[in-house]
Amino acid sequence: MPSRAHARRTFVAMALLLAAAAGSVVAMLAQEQGRHEITLTAKRYAFSQPRIEVAANDVVKITLVAEDIPHSFTIDEYRISKRAAPGRSVTFEFRADKAGTFPFFCNLTIDDGCREMRGELVVTPRLP
Ligand SMILES: [Cu+2]
C-alpha cells in the first residue's frame, strides 16, 4: 500500500527530474551562442578534457597548453594539427562544420607516450 514515505520519495524523484530538465534547457541556451572557448592542458600523455562536445557550425576556440614536453592537438577529419612547445600554449579556432564523432590526438613521435593521448570531438547535428 502506498505510504507517506513512498509519496515523499516520488515527490523527490519528480523534483530531481524537473531540475535535470531545467539544467539541460540551460545547457541548450548556452549552446545557442555557438561559441566555445576551451583550454586543453596536455601533460603526461593525456589531455585535460578527453571529450569536447559542440553543435554543428559552432566556432570552437581551443588553447592547447603543453605542460611538460611538446604536444599537439590533431584532428585528421578537420585537417587540424597544432603544436605547442613545452611550457607554452597555442590558440586556434575552427568552425565545427562536420557533424559526427572525430578522434583527436597528439601526433608527435618524440615520445612513445604521446600515442596514448586521445580524445574525441563530438559535433551534434543542429535541428533545422
Ligand atoms: Cu604529445
Side-chain angles (χ1 to χ4, degrees), residues 42 45 69-72 106-108 111 113-114 117:
Y45 316 129
I69 59 173
H71 292 294
S72 86
C106 174
N107 71 349
L108 302 188
D111 194 309
C114 284
M117 300 179 68

Side-chain angles (χ1 to χ4, degrees), residues 32-123:
E32 270 320 300
Q33 293 168 355
R35 230 188 126 73
H36 301 261
E37 291 198 17
I38 297 158
T39 298
L40 265 188
T41 301
K43 71 168 173 183
R44 292 218 166 217
Y45 316 129
F47 292 105
S48 55
Q49 192 180 328
R51 186 183 161 93
I52 298 173
E53 212 177 317
V54 303
N57 286 320
D58 284 355
V59 172
V60 186
K61 181 177 182 181
I62 293 180
T63 298
L64 172 70
V65 185
E67 289 209 339
D68 42 15
I69 59 173
H71 292 294
S72 86
F73 176 92
T74 305
I75 303 182
D76 285 339
E77 290 84 349
Y78 271 89
R79 294 173 167 270
I80 292 169
S81 189
K82 296 287 178 186
R83 179 185 190 277
R88 307 289 292 270
S89 69
V90 60
T91 300
F92 53 95
E93 61 176 60
F94 62 97
R95 185 174 291 278
D97 56 3
K98 287 184 272 266
T101 298
F102 308 101
F104 63 77
F105 54 96
C106 174
N107 71 349
L108 302 188
T109 51
I110 309 161
D111 194 309
D112 282 347
C114 284
R115 284 188 218 145
E116 310 297 316
M117 300 179 68
R118 314 219 149 250
E120 60 184 15
L121 169 73
V122 180
V123 183

